[in-house]
Amino acid sequence: MNTEFVNLTAENLPDEHLCCIIRSKKLHPGVEAKRQWLADRLGEGHVFRKLNVKGTVFIEYAPLETAWVPIIGDNYYYLYCLWILGSHKGKGYGKALMEYCIADAKAKGKSGICMLGAQKQKSWLSDQSFAKRVGFEVVDTTDNGYELLALSFDGTTPKFAQNAKREEIESKELTIYYDMQCPFIYQNMEMIKQHCETNDIPVSLIQVDTLQKAKELPCVFNNWGVFYKGKFVTVNLLDAAYLKRILDK
């Protein structure tokens, strides 16, 4: 097991491989957007820790107060993403990264760590069964099956902001809230724009570009939220088939 991990810093960020997307020498717009997003976050205590390989083995978390999610609580970390892919799975890297996050939270006197989950695991959310095995518990829920999981060190718990439980907007057209944290968002947006343009489907794409906008969102959010016919649909990024299923409802 390779145990050489790297934390991104302002100094190494321009040169480090961002392991969400294995890329060639050619610049990927989504990766560069993520790099810029991270550059603006690192000074806020945001942590991106990765295995020192060109692969997908990383954890990403931040103080809840500055995390771009409509979750409120005092002195917590918010875990955005813990992702291990391909040949790196099953080698203990997820455990090592989670243990690092927990140790970091305790060393900084945090009250605990929280993350977004769902009654039915969503493909774009971290593995909640793994989180529950290390002690995370459901501390809040929404009407459509999303859950807030927390590992509390002192008995306090965070909660969804009240606006996140609204799950309705006035507009009936396809509406997507997004930020540039995930490198896959850029290409997902391009696919959606193209599909909607080709099929003459009105779509509203709303960039969440400030912390305040994120905290005031009308739905749960990790970096993406889809509405259609005024109702919240999913936090999952969409492929063409999933988009078609939503629009056919």
Side-chain angles (χ1 to χ4, degrees):
M1 177 175 164
N2 177 355
T3 54
E4 190 187 345
F5 289 96
V6 173
N7 282 29
L8 295 186
T9 64
E11 290 70 38
N12 68 12
L13 177 62
D15 304 314
E16 279 293 337
H17 170 79
L18 294 186
C19 40
C20 313
I21 293 181
I22 304 291
R23 64 186 181 133
S24 64
K25 297 284 184 195
K26 191 178 169 190
L27 290 180
H28 185 292
V31 173
E32 297 319 307
K34 162 96 178 176
R35 211 181 289 280
Q36 183 56 55
W37 192 90
L38 279 171
D40 296 335
R41 303 280 80 74
L42 289 175
E44 301 168 351
H46 189 102
V47 175
F48 187 108
R49 182 173 175 81
K50 50 168 273 195
L51 190 66
N52 196 18
V53 294
K54 283 202 169 185
T56 302
V57 186
F58 73 96
I59 192 168
E60 190 169 358
Y61 59 91
L64 181 57
E65 292 84 353
T66 57
W68 285 30
V69 289
I71 295 167
I72 50 177
D74 293 324
N75 203 33
Y76 260 73
Y77 269 147
Y78 178 77
L79 198 165
Y80 286 103
C81 202
L82 173 58
W83 207 17
I84 320 291
L85 273 190
S87 62
H88 301 291
K89 289 180 98 165
K91 295 184 177 176
Y93 292 128
K95 184 170 180 280
L97 287 166
M98 181 66 91
E99 285 173 352
Y100 176 90
C101 178
I102 293 169
D104 186 26
K106 287 181 174 176
K108 293 205 170 61
K110 296 291 180 187
S111 294
I113 304 161
C114 63
M115 61 181 269
L116 181 61
Q119 285 168 8
K120 186 181 175 190
Q121 175 72 44
K122 305 291 182 186
S123 54
W124 288 92
L125 295 178
S126 301
D127 182 351
Q128 61 222 36
S129 61
F130 170 71
K132 286 174 179 174
R133 286 200 298 276
V134 298
F136 281 73
E137 297 176 343
V138 176
V139 295
D140 201 1
T141 57
T142 69
D143 288 344
N144 68 343
Y146 285 90
E147 299 176 335
L148 180 60
L149 277 61
L151 175 64
S152 177
F153 305 146
D154 62 8
T156 64
T157 53
K159 61 184 180 180
F160 288 120
Q162 202 55 43
N163 42 278
K165 294 188 174 187
R166 201 161 73 232
E167 299 177 337
E168 286 186 355
I169 57 174
E170 284 186 18
S171 173
K172 301 301 180 196
E173 69 186 28
L174 179 66
T175 302
I176 297 172
Y177 293 90
Y178 69 97
D179 65 30
M180 297 312 294
Q181 183 194 7
C182 173
F184 289 99
I185 285 173
Y186 182 88
Q187 63 203 51
N188 216 239
M189 299 273 292
E190 293 305 302
M191 180 277 291
I192 289 164
K193 282 180 197 167
Q194 194 172 349
H195 182 92
C196 291
E197 199 173 305
T198 304
N199 296 282
D200 203 23
I201 297 159
V203 60
S204 181
L205 303 169
I206 301 171
Q207 185 170 358
V208 179
D209 52 9
T210 67
L211 176 64
Q212 184 179 350
K213 282 184 191 173
K215 293 294 186 192
E216 293 174 356
L217 281 164
C219 61
V220 299
F221 186 81
N222 205 42
N223 45 47
W224 185 260
V226 180
F227 283 80
Y228 188 52
K229 295 183 178 174
K231 303 286 186 189
F232 178 57
V233 182
T234 186
V235 294
N236 279 1
L237 273 72
L238 310 174
D239 58 22
Y242 192 179
L243 177 58
K244 192 170 183 310
R245 284 204 307 276
I246 291 169
L247 296 170
D248 286 347
K249 280 184 179 175

